[in-house]
Amino acid sequence: MSTSPSGQPIRVLVAEDHPAVRSGLVALLEAAAGIAVVAEAADGPSALAAAREHRPEVVLTDVRMPGATGIEITPRLRETGARVLVISGFDLDASVLGALAAGADGYLVKSEQPARIVQAVRDVHGGDAVLSPAATRTVVAALHERAPEAEPEPVGGPPRFTRREEEVLALVARGMSNQQIARELFVEVTTVKSHLGHALDKLGLESRVQAALWWSRHRS
């Protein structure tokens, strides 16, 4: 069960303008062990006000809301100390790039399995960057279209990975979270993080999205 460092449930704010969808998300998260929904909001300004008042650790926000979009409020939500998980009803919504550029910690689509949404909240709270497979494909495809210099090249030629590092990178490129990779490889999440960290160091990269792009270009 995931909790805050204090041992208390993870404090979550749900921002969604459709009442039925918001109620469903709140019910889903409230039923999950170690998570407490501390506030709800139906538009951008209300989400900001709620974040400043209730100080959630994670904000689950729709990408499109009245007043201000989830993307527009993401930088200000981050200023409150919250991690931001953006959710959208569109599988290949181009706004995924805007959300990540604004500082979002993750991007999911609403068609995800409920358990995946719950786990994403836990992963983001724990410091993981979470992308749905569809969002990962969108990011990788968009980055492919950019200038080659946008992708840092490792110093000293192609890196030499261990077998486990290669397995982890391949699964990252498929959009899997650390938790999912751990289950796939029958190892601990800390082991996945260690292998991914070593691989990023060898590549001279900083994020799992950059690693997914590198893998898709050089090993897929």
Side-chain angles (χ1 to χ4, degrees):
M1 178 179 71
S2 296
T3 57
S4 297
S6 64
Q8 299 300 310
I10 299 167
R11 297 166 55 82
V12 179
L13 161 64
V14 176
E16 163 66 57
D17 61 317
H18 294 288
V21 177
R22 185 172 66 253
S23 295
L25 290 170
V26 169
L28 171 68
L29 295 175
E30 284 283 13
I35 295 177
V37 176
V38 297
E40 303 175 36
D43 57 55
S46 296
L48 281 174
R52 289 164 180 157
E53 178 181 356
H54 297 280
R55 297 289 170 172
E57 294 164 289
V58 177
V59 177
L60 178 63
T61 178
D62 188 15
V63 72
R64 292 190 176 96
M65 289 188 298
T69 68
I71 295 173
E72 290 169 341
I73 64 175
T74 288
R76 285 174 284 175
L77 290 172
R78 291 298 302 267
E79 289 173 2
T80 71
R83 296 187 182 275
V84 180
L85 178 58
V86 176
I87 190 165
S88 169
F90 300 89
D91 285 350
L92 298 178
D93 193 335
S95 59
V96 60
L97 300 173
L100 296 176
D105 298 279
Y107 191 105
L108 294 180
V109 293
K110 293 177 183 175
S111 58
E112 295 279 0
Q113 292 294 319
R116 167 67 168 146
I117 296 175
V118 171
Q119 188 59 51
V121 169
R122 292 176 174 144
D123 289 342
V124 164
H125 174 262
D128 276 349
V130 177
L131 293 176
S132 68
T136 298
R137 289 191 293 270
T138 298
V139 172
V140 170
L143 292 177
H144 263 300
E145 298 174 359
R146 296 185 180 181
E149 58 267 21
E151 177 195 354
E153 291 293 340
V155 177
R160 299 181 64 178
F161 300 114
T162 66
R163 178 179 60 83
R164 271 297 194 217
E165 288 167 359
E166 291 204 349
E167 289 172 341
V168 168
L169 284 172
L171 295 175
V172 165
R174 286 169 50 188
M176 296 177 69
S177 69
N178 288 349
Q179 189 77 27
Q180 290 174 310
I181 294 171
R183 289 197 295 268
E184 179 78 13
L185 299 181
F186 301 100
V187 297
E188 297 293 328
V189 173
T190 53
T191 301
V192 174
K193 290 181 177 179
S194 177
H195 288 309
L196 179 56
H198 291 156
L200 289 173
D201 287 343
K202 290 178 181 180
L203 287 166
L205 302 177
E206 297 180 357
S207 75
R208 65 195 301 119
V209 173
Q210 290 177 317
L213 173 63
W214 187 93
W215 187 266
S216 71
R217 283 179 168 172
H218 299 283
R219 298 294 176 88
S220 295

